[in-house]
Amino acid sequence: MKVDPLFHPGWIRFNEQHWSLEAESVTLTPEKGDGWRLETVLYRNRKGRLVTPPRNPHLPIDFHCSSDRPASVNRRKRMALTRLAERLREIGLGGSLSLSSVANDIRPFEWAQMAARPRFTYHLDIDGRAGRIDPSARKKAQKCHRLGYRCDVTEDYAAVADCLAGPEARKGFDYRLEAAELETLAALMGPEHFVCFLARNELGEPMGARVCLFTPGGHALAWSAGMKTEAMKDGVNNLVAEMALSHFEEHGCTVFDFIGANIPPVAEMKEAWGGRLVCHYSISQRGFRQLAREAYVTARTLLKRESK
């Protein structure tokens, strides 16, 4: 089973339709035997170059090895990622590609003359999470309950989009999602893979929302979240997160990916949930300046060795 919901056909179709991209499902295997298999989804823009679609946290990667011996797993994953790097270089990158954390060996991409930049997120094991969550996170959710808030699964996509506009206004970025896009994505993926949580205050007014993608028995992704400015101090974000975690536990999900922890205040908020800090990589073609600098550093090193 592929645990990443970004493999879902509905999600792939949404990216093709909404961002005018061409998707390709890729399966790589060794020339002989069945010792390993790597699967991913690549997206090409109108120029035929590879890109990470907007609003995609990463490109999904699934790796299977027929052996569980560490030496075999390490060697075969290196071989699989080397094949993937070669495939990417042959097609050409139209921008940076954000890879799944499954690609934890970045060397094959560097060997293929690509630059790699580390990015971070938190993965929370859903089972047994109670003992990992900082008490401060639970207190904020409890405060929200005392103030009369309630949180439910919703299909009120207009209300969800309205809540997502909160951080857009405060932080100056654009989710590029309206109610119509959320409704389309819900229809493409279905309720077993797409869900919206909405928190309302005691007056019934929408105050906070979270949009998630998930695979039952696999991972859940905290894809988009937003709250009204006036509700920020009430702990709405924590209330919605607790509701989401309970929902995914009921669906047998194993890991909740908070998606992103690269900005100090965001990292501080997400680390309180007790997840594992996970590194993944964004890769891009090395530019002329970077290649020239690397050649210069290599030449200086060689000259120093010869002068000794």
Side-chain angles (χ1 to χ4, degrees), residues 86-99:
E86 292 170 351
R87 183 70 169 267
L88 301 184
R89 185 174 59 181
E90 288 172 2
I91 300 173
L93 277 59
S96 62
L97 296 185
S98 182
L99 303 179

Side-chain angles (χ1 to χ4, degrees), residues 228-295:
K228 302 288 184 66
T229 301
E230 59 269 30
M232 290 181 63
K233 65 182 184 301
D234 294 338
V236 174
N237 188 49
N238 297 67
L239 176 67
V240 177
E242 278 205 339
M243 173 67 183
L245 289 169
S246 296
H247 180 86
F248 296 130
E249 182 177 35
E250 293 174 0
H251 284 76
C253 295
T254 56
V255 170
F256 186 76
D257 184 347
F258 278 89
I259 297 185
N262 302 294
I263 302 172
V266 173
E268 182 179 355
M269 181 272 292
K270 293 181 178 180
E271 70 187 7
W273 291 91
R276 304 184 307 278
L277 183 64
V278 173
C279 178
H280 65 106
Y281 293 92
S282 176
I283 61 170
S284 58
Q285 292 288 164
R286 281 194 173 100
F288 174 77
R289 289 184 179 180
Q290 185 169 3
L291 289 171
R293 180 176 177 79
E294 290 174 358

